Amino acid sequence: MSRIRVDDLQKGGTPAGPLAAVTAYDYAFARLADRAGADLLLVGDSLGMVVQGEETTLPVTLDHMVYHTRCVNRGRERALVVADLPFRAYKAGPAQALDSAARLMAEGGAEMVKLEGGGPMAGTVAFLNQRDIPVMGHLGLTPQSIHQLGGYRVQGRDADAATQMVEEALDLERAGARALVLEAVPRTLAARVSETVAIPVIGIGAGPDCDGQVLVLHDVLGLDERVQPRFARRYMDGAGQITEALGAFCRDVRAGTFPDAEHSFD
Ligand code: KIV
């Protein structure tokens, strides 16, 4: 089982097919996702919402990201670990982005960082790339821009917006981005972006014509029964099963059936 490296992120995905990526935020789930065969573990700033219970990803700090990246890094053996640069940690300019990315790599153990945005971020991508920091871009629905975008909705629906997204993907590629996440865009546009750039495109709500797919762990496992993006497939009823298991534990304690002899020391 050889470790996936940044250079293994290729157009067309992996020899086994499109690249399979999932978000991870801690040691236990990173280990399980790695053992399950995920090629890439994304320590997404979605942790603000799914782990911390915030309404948006904006409150997530660089310290949070470093901490969670370190936990994920300890749990993986094979997968590539990519960490998000959080909202307040790179938008001030390339120098700030370099400091933040260096912490995610040196303290967290990330092998690549992801940042959101197109053309205006190209300078920052180039700056990081020239300083040996592999960068993944993120276009389409960029959750850090939620207040500019006016909501979590599909992006690039009209012709001008679609053309602009293709241009921005090219800008990021020219700046040295090694891969690109496309979130919540029509599948035809995702296919167009994928055909246009030579770097792998990893879709989330972007249809099947990408080089890989990423989903948020909590959506895959159904850990929050209240939220289910239309593009995410739930592979288990995590919320239901976990609540049931914890309920059984509480009932056993109250009934005095736990701990029993088997779980007690003489
Ligand atoms: O933060 C995150 O989890 C992400 C994915 C949704 C791509 O950026």
Side-chain angles (χ1 to χ4, degrees), residues 89-110:
Y90 67 103
K91 304 240 179 200
Q96 187 201 25
L98 176 62
D99 280 349
S100 303
R103 280 197 63 199
L104 288 171
M105 293 175 82
E107 295 173 44

Side-chain angles (χ1 to χ4, degrees), residues 11 139-140 154-157 161-163 165-166 169 180-197 199-213:
K11 200 75 197 156
L139 294 175
V154 177
Q155 301 296 306
R157 279 204 189 276
T163 301
M165 206 178 293
V166 175
L180 184 62
V181 164
L182 265 192
E183 180 168 353
V185 302
R187 61 178 288 183
T188 46
L189 173 56
R192 194 171 140 202
V193 172
S194 277
E195 280 161 20
T196 306
V197 294
I199 52 176
V201 172
I202 302 173
I204 171 165
D209 304 309
C210 299
D211 304 292
Q213 299 291 329

